[in-house]
Amino acid sequence: RAIPRRSGLARRCMSSWDAWRIARSIDADVFHFHDPDLLPWMVLLKIMGRSVVYDSHENFIVRFYQWSLPGWLRSPLARIFRSCERWSVRRFDGFIAPDHHIYSLFEADCRDGAVIRNTHDLDRLDAEVVRQPRDPFPVLYTSGSNLPDRHCEEMIRAMPIILNELPNCRLRFAGYYDRDYKDYLKRLARELNVSEQLDLWDAEPYFTHFGRSFRATVGCIFLQNNPKNRNANSNRLFEYMYCGLPVLAENLPGPRSVVESEQCGLIIDSSHPEAIAEAFVYLVKHPEVAQEMGARGERAVRARYHYGVDLKELTALYSRIISTHQAGNA
């Protein structure tokens, strides 16, 4: 049931009201939501006797430290929000998190729950994606939301070093850019005389995007070491693994846990352009190593890191909630 597209305060207030109004008129088995703006409305829905699942896509209290708030307000507001969040979770029927770290923050409060990762639907990808051939030159690649905390600037600063060893390589960004950040990256590339080797591709539809990811040589998961990123696991990682790309991943618990266990890439500190350059040059100059890493990543995705696996966890959670609800009404 669609609601009008809105942004800003209108989305947070009016859209939440619309969602609540529609939800209370529907006789669904389970109401599954993830927007924290809906927490008070979903508590009301639970009071009405409905089965509600809260899906926390991220550690939301980090937002309070990213917003332009007075420093003295950030911690108190974050603590208040977390208290309200935990109070709500204790009343809901289920809790879902994208990783074990976020799940652990609420495990003592939730009645039931599951970890549902940010993985991809292999059946849809295999059916819809047109696999483009690898480019004939080395491509250092990153996709998704290209933001300052993804160390995009450091990647550009690594290019002069890389070009000394690989003069025909390219650096490629694909996806979204934060405000004027794309223009900043262009200016930086000009200052470093690497503009000719830089591709700044805009976002494409999902399946088209996957198709062009196949063209790269190495996929990058670079993240600043901050509370938001420390335990996160981006779906970019599983995108690159699906495409058979060896991965350069940040030395943080989330990406490191997958890349090290599956031996599908290298772990580096991407805050240092020299580390990016050294790792990329190594993989290009050792194609047999890079190819085996990519193959291991693809095998791991097909065996363990795909939505078919996570869907079983999700439907099992739904089944338990529905059975409990029915037993309570018997």
Side-chain angles (χ1 to χ4, degrees):
R1 296 284 297 279
I3 60 177
R5 184 186 297 274
R6 303 184 180 100
S7 62
L9 188 60
R11 183 187 70 81
R12 298 186 184 283
C13 297
M14 298 175 64
S15 295
S16 296
W17 163 253
D18 280 345
W20 148 256
R21 179 178 52 81
I22 293 172
R24 67 180 184 177
S25 69
I26 298 173
D27 185 23
D29 293 308
V30 177
F31 291 86
H32 180 145
F33 79 102
H34 70 85
D35 193 329
D37 301 335
L38 286 168
L39 278 167
W41 301 99
M42 295 300 104
V43 169
L44 288 177
L45 199 65
K46 178 58 189 172
I47 292 172
M48 293 174 61
R50 310 300 180 88
S51 296
V52 179
V53 172
Y54 176 36
D55 188 341
S56 180
H57 281 192
E58 60 183 274
N59 187 5
F60 287 111
I61 65 169
V62 174
R63 300 281 187 94
F64 291 92
Y65 298 93
Q66 296 173 325
W67 290 330
S68 299
L69 296 171
W72 62 273
L73 262 182
R74 291 174 180 173
S75 292
L77 287 177
R79 288 196 296 268
I80 291 170
F81 173 78
R82 177 51 50 85
S83 296
C84 293
E85 199 176 24
R86 293 181 63 179
W87 182 87
S88 301
V89 166
R90 287 194 288 271
R91 281 145 184 83
F92 295 143
D93 301 88
F95 174 76
I96 289 173
D99 57 57
H100 290 283
H101 170 70
I102 293 179
Y103 188 81
S104 70
L105 300 176
F106 296 91
E107 189 170 10
D109 300 298
C110 68
R111 301 181 183 182
D112 199 350
V115 173
I116 308 297
R117 302 163 301 179
N118 289 321
T119 51
H120 301 279
D121 187 336
L122 294 190
D123 291 337
R124 293 186 67 203
L125 290 177
D126 289 342
E128 300 289 342
V129 172
V130 177
R131 299 186 174 211
Q132 299 184 33
R134 298 275 192 256
D135 283 337
F137 41 81
V139 177
L140 183 64
Y141 178 71
T142 188
S143 66
S145 297
N146 299 301
L147 307 170
D149 73 345
R150 303 290 179 89
H151 282 169
C152 301
E153 177 179 338
E154 286 74 7
M155 294 178 70
I156 292 179
R157 293 190 182 279
M159 282 300 289
I161 307 171
I162 294 171
L163 290 168
N164 287 333
E165 298 285 338
L166 305 169
N168 65 332
C169 79
R170 299 193 71 82
L171 171 59
R172 182 172 296 159
F173 298 93
Y176 302 92
Y177 304 85
D178 187 23
R179 297 183 181 177
D180 300 324
Y181 195 55
K182 187 175 184 180
D183 292 332
Y184 170 74
L185 296 177
K186 289 179 180 178
R187 290 196 303 272
L188 180 61
R190 286 195 298 269
E191 292 172 8
L192 297 174
N193 296 315
V194 296
S195 294
E196 296 300 317
Q197 291 78 31
L198 176 64
D199 296 325
L200 293 168
W201 289 356
D202 290 324
E204 292 280 354
Y206 182 71
F207 297 118
T208 306
H209 169 77
F210 260 84
R212 67 185 186 178
S213 294
F214 278 98
R215 295 176 55 179
T217 307
V218 174
C220 300
I221 308 292
F222 295 156
L223 300 162
Q224 286 182 359
N225 186 356
N226 59 39
K228 175 187 175 185
N229 295 330
R230 194 160 295 133
N231 293 280
N233 226 336
S234 169
N235 59 11
R236 290 183 296 155
L237 173 58
F238 305 120
E239 170 192 333
Y240 303 151
M241 292 168 68
Y242 173 80
C243 294
L245 302 180
V247 177
L248 295 184
E250 196 65 53
N251 189 16
L252 293 176
R256 187 174 62 227
S257 65
V258 175
V259 173
E260 287 188 340
S261 65
E262 304 302 341
Q263 301 180 54
C264 60
L266 300 176
I267 303 297
I268 69 170
D269 179 356
S270 69
S271 64
H272 300 292
E274 298 82 4
I276 298 173
E278 180 181 358
F280 180 58
V281 170
Y282 172 82
L283 290 176
V284 173
K285 289 191 172 184
H286 295 81
E288 70 288 348
V289 174
Q291 185 175 5
E292 183 53 36
M293 285 179 174
R296 282 195 290 261
E298 184 175 2
R299 288 195 297 268
V301 160
R302 294 192 174 278
R304 291 177 287 282
Y305 302 100
H306 63 86
Y307 189 60
V309 174
D310 295 287
L311 182 59
K312 293 178 182 177
E313 296 291 330
L314 181 61
T315 53
L317 173 62
Y318 284 168
S319 295
R320 294 193 299 270
I321 290 172
I322 293 170
S323 297
T324 301
H325 185 80
Q326 290 174 340
N329 291 336

